[in-house]
Amino acid sequence: MQYSSIRTGLLVSLAMTSVCISANAQAEKWDMPMAYSASNYHSETGEQFAQCVTSGTVGEIEIVTHPSGSLFKGGDIKRAIQTGQAQIGERLMSGHQNENAVFGFDSIPFLATSFDDSAKLFEAARPTMERLLDEQNLVMLYAVPWPPQGLYFKKEVNAVADMKGIKFRSYNNATARLAELTGMLPVTIEAAEISQAFATGVAESMVSSGATGYDRKVWESLTHFYDVNAWLPYNYVMVNKDVWNDTSDEQKGVITGCAQIAQYAGTWRAKEYTGFTVNGLIEGGMTVAPAGDALVEELKVIGATMSAEWLEAAGDDGKAIMEAYSASK
Ligand code: PCA
């Protein structure tokens, strides 16, 4: 209820600010690939950002969203934008951890476990991320967190020993490493494909948010969700730098304004969606509970190992992010 009223409010406010789009000889179309389903709040926020830019530039720039990995699959989105095959798009930031460990700053277990702390961590990392992306011909426009990450299984799990040999769906290097350290077998699968992976037994567990479990109706295959609050990873929207440099100052102003609204609106939705989707898992028939103390203690030891490994791999950039984060707390 609460979530849908927020949604309605956002739609109304966007409709109020929209202006009549006139036919424009210089109209440009920007394709915006996104990896997650159209009904996910990241995709909805992206769609409303696209409408905001289209109406705000009076149609000079028309952004067309392509959710669910329909134009480019999640793993291909950044490269497509870098190389100009798409002008703009959205991707999970830690998905780039395989090219540079620094991109995984938001997937370190138990470092930032609340929305407030994860926002501080993101701000601490922002200058570094903007520089790294700039070096790759990309401009970051806005970023929105996922809700806290918990563990999904097909059985009750009270200790790391209970996880041995389980096929585990991973979405970045950190989640694959978590699987290794807990004796599970990682297999990388995009969220758009997990319902099928769980239904066919290709995977039988994952770490993710209540939001993704809800979006993908995982109660059809899985039974338990343990609230672990391990971390809150970010999705971000990037634009090709050459495309960005070709826009006028007025267009940049509209895009930047729409990006700011999207960041606020998306973050607000993430918070609202957390309780809504966890309740949805319960309604779907899943057992939802905090992880037991013994399991949490074991996971914290694994988290400390992953933290040390990340710091080592992320070098001076990683150190600078951690120092800025500590200073902001
Ligand atoms: N959902 C995304 C990333 C983090 C999350 O909560 C996924 O599972 O792919």
Side-chain angles (χ1 to χ4, degrees):
M1 274 300 122
Q2 225 179 345
Y3 174 67
S4 63
S5 66
I6 287 167
R7 201 158 80 163
T8 311
L10 286 166
L11 286 171
V12 168
S13 63
L14 277 175
M16 279 172 15
T17 54
S18 72
V19 288
C20 188
I21 296 172
S22 59
N24 189 316
Q26 278 148 31
E28 273 181 49
K29 181 180 157 217
W30 288 9
D31 283 313
M32 182 169 173
M34 303 188 289
Y36 296 92
S37 62
S39 62
N40 177 271
Y41 70 92
H42 286 285
S43 306
E44 289 181 342
T45 301
E47 172 57 29
Q48 287 167 9
F49 162 77
Q51 288 172 19
C52 178
V53 172
T54 304
S55 61
T57 61
V58 204
E60 283 179 9
I61 297 173
E62 184 197 0
I63 300 185
V64 179
T65 58
H66 303 273
S68 287
S70 57
L71 188 60
F72 292 98
K73 295 219 176 293
D76 299 328
I77 289 175
K78 175 157 154 285
R79 175 137 298 274
I81 302 164
Q82 275 179 282
T83 55
Q85 290 170 275
Q87 291 76 11
I88 188 170
E90 184 195 58
R91 180 63 183 146
L92 179 73
M93 189 164 263
S94 58
H96 314 323
Q97 217 179 342
N98 52 355
E99 45 174 274
N100 183 341
V102 182
F103 283 113
F105 75 89
D106 63 9
S107 301
I108 299 170
F110 309 116
L111 175 67
T113 59
S114 65
F115 279 104
D116 283 353
D117 281 351
S118 85
K120 285 182 187 152
L121 177 59
F122 191 85
E123 285 313 313
R126 184 187 285 273
T128 308
M129 304 334 282
E130 283 176 348
R131 174 173 51 76
L132 290 178
L133 293 168
D134 180 77
E135 286 165 9
Q136 299 188 359
N137 203 36
L138 295 167
V139 177
M140 177 160 72
L141 291 179
Y142 71 84
V144 170
W146 286 94
Q149 304 292 289
L151 284 163
Y152 287 87
F153 294 104
K154 266 171 108 155
K155 62 171 192 179
E156 189 179 316
V157 167
N158 296 308
V160 165
D162 297 339
M163 302 181 194
K164 202 168 167 50
I166 290 179
K167 287 181 251 165
F168 179 88
R169 173 261 168 168
S170 63
Y171 62 72
N172 63 13
N173 279 19
T175 52
R177 184 70 183 132
L178 179 71
E180 282 167 9
L181 290 168
T182 51
M184 295 191 281
L185 309 169
V187 45
T188 304
I189 302 169
E190 283 294 319
E193 276 135 36
I194 58 176
S195 309
Q196 209 193 346
F198 290 136
T200 56
V202 169
E204 354 170 66
S205 75
M206 66 172 174
V207 63
S208 191
S209 56
T212 289
Y214 176 83
D215 287 344
R216 308 316 304 160
K217 297 191 173 57
V218 298
W219 53 82
E220 288 173 357
S221 306
L222 306 181
T223 54
H224 288 71
F225 178 65
Y226 293 103
D227 264 331
V228 180
N229 294 340
W231 63 83
L232 291 84
Y234 276 75
N235 273 12
Y236 74 106
V237 168
M238 70 200 103
V239 60
N240 175 289
K241 194 161 78 177
D242 304 322
V243 171
W244 178 250
N245 289 341
D246 280 347
T247 57
S248 66
D249 287 348
E250 291 77 10
Q251 291 170 338
K252 282 194 179 84
V254 169
I255 296 168
T256 309
C258 293
Q260 254 168 28
I261 296 174
Q263 178 150 327
Y264 281 118
T267 305
W268 180 12
R269 283 175 167 151
K271 292 176 187 171
E272 293 298 323
Y273 213 44
T274 301
F276 173 83
T277 52
V278 169
N279 282 334
L281 297 179
I282 296 171
E283 275 166 30
M286 293 189 78
T287 303
V288 174
D293 292 346
L295 177 57
V296 170
E297 284 316 307
E298 287 183 298
L299 291 174
K300 287 210 162 134
V301 174
I302 287 168
T305 303
M306 288 175 62
S307 210
E309 288 176 353
W310 182 83
L311 260 181
E312 167 96 39
D316 289 344
D317 279 343
K319 216 166 129 214
I321 293 173
M322 286 309 132
E323 280 167 12
Y325 176 53
S326 300
S328 72
K329 297 235 307 162

